[in-house]
Amino acid sequence: MNIEEIALKIEILERQNLSKSAEMTNYTQSALTSKVKKMEAEIGQEVFKRTPQGLKITNVGTQYLKFLKLMTQEYDDFLQEIGLAQTKTKISLGTSHTTIKIYGASIMNALQTNNIPLDVDFTVESSTSLNEKIHNADMDCALTSNPIKHYPDVNYDMIASETFEVISNDSHIIDFEKRSPVTLLVLSRGCMYTRAMAEWLKINQVPFTMKEIKSVSSILDFLQIDNTIAVLNTKLIDLYNYSNIHYYDLPKLNKVIETVFIYKKSESQQSSILQLKHVIESLLEDPIEQS
């Protein structure tokens, strides 16, 4: 029984949006499309209807989802009966779109591999929003780029220094000195990478339109359009092995962003939060393995 594979099927069927499921897992959208086709081949019927509004789960898909959930519940009951199940502590962890794509699956894999009794629920939002939610105690902790505003009741523990890149298709190289209008593609409008690049364009008087696209593979496809650039985390670009990229070294643009683990100071002694922090730190010390 491959519990991880079953969990992935449940994620796909529940969310009914392969682009969003791709953000929450460490798979590309095309890989998840293949998973859906394989799933449908296994049961001999469609689990989704393809509509102009996107995917819609079929009656068979709904029944299959119930079956998969029943399997996981029975497996958990089995572990409980033989004394292998552990009581897990729930933790709500906020991340940016970039962070969950790079580290999300690795964090979950590390927790499972090492039998760490933490049940982590991910919330994907901008660093500004996550920072505010930690301050308001609406979330336990967050792993994200260092926000501009620091609250006195929140810890901001630096985990790593990340870099981002400004890129375009190498067939459409842009001369910024001409100050021609460009389209800036981003994963999130609230991302620190986005803010840094938008500020650079404003200072250098380059007219731009910002487009928020939640899929990295879609952003790379959109770079085929003239006068289009994107700003993405360097590690995220490396994951996709995209060959037709032109990298820009722009003057006075600091492409280094601090990644921090943030949590309330009142929770500084809570073992579950510190345990999760140590797991994340251990992942960043070693190369991140991707599925």
Side-chain angles (χ1 to χ4, degrees), residues 4 27 33 39-40 43 96 105 107 120 129 131 160 172 174 191 210 212 235 244-246 256 280 288:
E4 291 183 11
Y27 291 88
T33 300
M39 200 187 311
E40 292 177 330
I43 62 177
S96 65
I107 291 170
V120 178
S129 175
N131 188 36
H172 306 294
I174 294 170
C191 170
M210 187 183 298
E212 188 177 71
K235 290 180 181 176
N244 303 318
I245 289 180
H246 178 78
V256 178
I280 294 170
I288 299 298

Side-chain angles (χ1 to χ4, degrees), residues 166-174 219-225 228-230 237 240-248:
V166 181
I167 60 174
S168 71
N169 187 283
D170 59 11
S171 299
H172 306 294
I173 298 175
I174 294 170
I219 286 179
L220 296 175
D221 289 340
F222 273 66
L223 288 180
Q224 303 288 340
I225 302 171
T228 302
I229 58 174
I237 297 172
Y240 283 80
N241 298 316
Y242 192 76
S243 58
N244 303 318
I245 289 180
H246 178 78
Y247 293 83
Y248 293 89

